[in-house]
Amino acid sequence: METEIRKFTTYLIEVKNASESTVKSYERDLKKLECFLREHGIEKIGQITGTNLNSYILYLERQGLSPATVSRNIASIRAFFQYEWRQRTIQEDPSEWLKPPHVERKAPGILTMEEVARLLEQPGKEHPKEIRDKAMMELLYATGMRVTELISLKVTDVNVNLNYVICRDGVKERVIPFGSEAKKALELYLNGARHLLVKNEQTENLFTNCSGKPMSRQGFWKLIKQYAQKADIRTDITPHTLRHSFAAHLVQNGADLKSVQEMLGHSDISTTQVYMNLASNRLKEVYAKTHPRK
């Protein structure tokens, strides 16, 4: 099965133009399945049955994995076997009847506008690293892009004169505008701080770490948690917090869902609908606290 997994990941990269994080996720899930099957004496892909796969899903559930994690594993397994079936490596798709568990969609954690303002005020304006951090956080909140998209930006993806950024997710591309605060932070970074961080002048990456290498998702998560602590923000910060806050604040201030959907890059508007629910709940909270005849 190892060879088939390798061919599948190559297909994801070369044909589907899947992102690096997506490919790694599929590969990780499938290698865990391969290990489970090998332990049960199954090493050839043609030997795998639907019963084997159902046994594996039960095994994952007994390990205490969340329904969301189990669902992601099932999605990886189904994509893999559908590919193998199309390649005629197998005669039947053993994953056809796998059903993911019900996953409750949790409301995303967001910051208040006041908390966002405090967070964005934390980086200083003297040290190159803090200037970079300020530019990254301002741009993230101004555009709502994913953290993976942010750290993958090239210098040529940003047009500071016309206030827009070209954001890419695999083969998909979208143009997102940004405002004056993000523009000021980017100009300060590009005009002075970036060349002090980038060790190789040929580097195309917009943001790098202090060693001149591409910024990692984990690296960004650490720095944003540090600034949240400095800002005395008690809400748990995740890499997506500013993205969720961007969307919720837009909807709260009257933006239409279709526009927010396009900026976020959601393929299904029902995914964006959650921010409308957040805004509605927020209005109810304000009413309950402030209306004299509540």
Side-chain angles (χ1 to χ4, degrees), residues 168-208:
R168 296 181 178 85
D169 177 25
V171 293
K172 296 178 183 177
E173 182 178 289
R174 62 192 191 278
V175 177
I176 313 174
F178 55 78
S180 59
E181 292 300 320
K183 177 175 181 171
K184 285 190 290 185
L186 279 167
E187 285 178 332
L188 187 62
Y189 170 67
L190 289 169
N191 294 336
R194 183 177 178 272
H195 79 276
L196 297 174
L197 296 172
V198 175
K199 308 302 179 186
N200 182 353
E201 293 298 329
Q202 304 303 314
T203 300
E204 296 180 346
N205 296 81
L206 178 61
F207 299 112
T208 70

Side-chain angles (χ1 to χ4, degrees), residues 32-33 36 52-60 73 77:
K32 285 193 297 185
L33 171 64
F36 173 86
N52 299 143
L53 296 181
N54 273 311
S55 296
Y56 178 62
I57 299 306
L58 284 172
Y59 164 77
L60 294 180
N73 274 268
I77 291 168

Side-chain angles (χ1 to χ4, degrees), residues 12-285:
L12 290 175
I13 297 167
E14 297 182 354
V15 178
K16 302 296 287 184
N17 289 306
S19 67
E20 183 182 352
S21 59
T22 298
V23 174
K24 285 183 176 178
S25 177
Y26 276 114
E27 187 176 29
R28 182 172 57 249
D29 292 343
L30 294 171
K31 284 186 174 179
K32 285 193 297 185
L33 171 64
E34 178 193 15
C35 183
F36 173 86
L37 292 172
R38 193 187 307 116
E39 288 175 356
H40 288 77
I42 301 170
E43 297 193 5
K44 295 183 179 179
I45 193 168
Q47 298 175 300
I48 302 170
T49 66
T51 302
N52 299 143
L53 296 181
N54 273 311
S55 296
Y56 178 62
I57 299 306
L58 284 172
Y59 164 77
L60 294 180
E61 290 174 342
R62 287 169 183 159
Q63 295 297 304
L65 298 182
S66 69
T69 301
V70 174
S71 293
R72 194 204 66 225
N73 274 268
I74 290 175
S76 299
I77 291 168
R78 293 198 64 182
F80 172 69
F81 282 103
Q82 285 168 10
Y83 165 78
E84 294 299 327
W85 181 78
R86 289 195 302 269
Q87 295 297 309
R88 300 293 184 263
T89 309
I90 53 177
Q91 299 302 311
E92 293 182 358
D93 178 1
S95 71
E96 185 176 2
W97 303 110
L98 286 181
K99 290 186 177 180
H102 175 70
V103 179
E104 281 191 30
R105 181 173 289 174
K106 293 182 180 179
I110 63 169
L111 302 177
T112 66
M113 294 181 197
E114 189 271 335
E115 285 174 329
V116 170
R118 288 210 320 267
L119 178 68
L120 298 178
E121 287 170 359
Q122 296 310 308
K125 297 182 180 179
E126 303 298 326
H127 195 283
K129 176 188 177 299
E130 293 192 330
I131 295 173
R132 177 207 64 192
D133 297 347
K134 169 79 168 175
M136 292 185 78
M137 292 196 297
E138 285 282 3
L139 187 60
L140 191 62
Y141 180 63
T143 61
M145 67 175 68
R146 300 174 180 89
V147 174
T148 305
E149 294 168 337
L150 176 75
I151 62 178
S152 301
L153 287 174
K154 308 298 182 188
V155 175
T156 52
D157 291 332
V158 178
N159 190 316
V160 179
N161 293 325
L162 297 179
N163 292 38
Y164 72 81
V165 59
I166 299 173
C167 189
R168 296 181 178 85
D169 177 25
V171 293
K172 296 178 183 177
E173 182 178 289
R174 62 192 191 278
V175 177
I176 313 174
F178 55 78
S180 59
E181 292 300 320
K183 177 175 181 171
K184 285 190 290 185
L186 279 167
E187 285 178 332
L188 187 62
Y189 170 67
L190 289 169
N191 294 336
R194 183 177 178 272
H195 79 276
L196 297 174
L197 296 172
V198 175
K199 308 302 179 186
N200 182 353
E201 293 298 329
Q202 304 303 314
T203 300
E204 296 180 346
N205 296 81
L206 178 61
F207 299 112
T208 70
N209 61 25
C210 295
S211 300
K213 296 178 181 178
M215 170 73 72
S216 69
R217 181 185 174 88
Q218 292 77 11
F220 180 79
W221 192 0
K222 285 179 182 177
L223 72 86
I224 202 171
K225 287 179 83 72
Q226 289 169 357
Y227 288 121
Q229 189 173 17
K230 286 178 65 177
D232 195 28
I233 294 172
R234 307 299 172 86
T235 306
D236 187 35
I237 297 282
T238 73
H240 257 25
T241 300
L242 282 177
R243 173 175 164 86
H244 292 319
S245 301
F246 157 85
H249 296 167
L250 279 181
V251 173
Q252 192 174 324
N253 284 296
D256 65 280
L257 279 186
K258 186 65 178 175
S259 298
V260 177
Q261 177 194 4
E262 290 178 6
M263 285 186 277
L264 292 174
H266 287 162
S267 56
D268 188 342
I269 199 166
S270 65
T271 308
T272 320
Q273 183 71 42
V274 67
Y275 299 109
M276 181 66 79
N277 298 336
L278 281 174
S280 177
N281 291 339
R282 175 62 180 158
L283 288 175
K284 288 177 184 176
E285 288 176 12

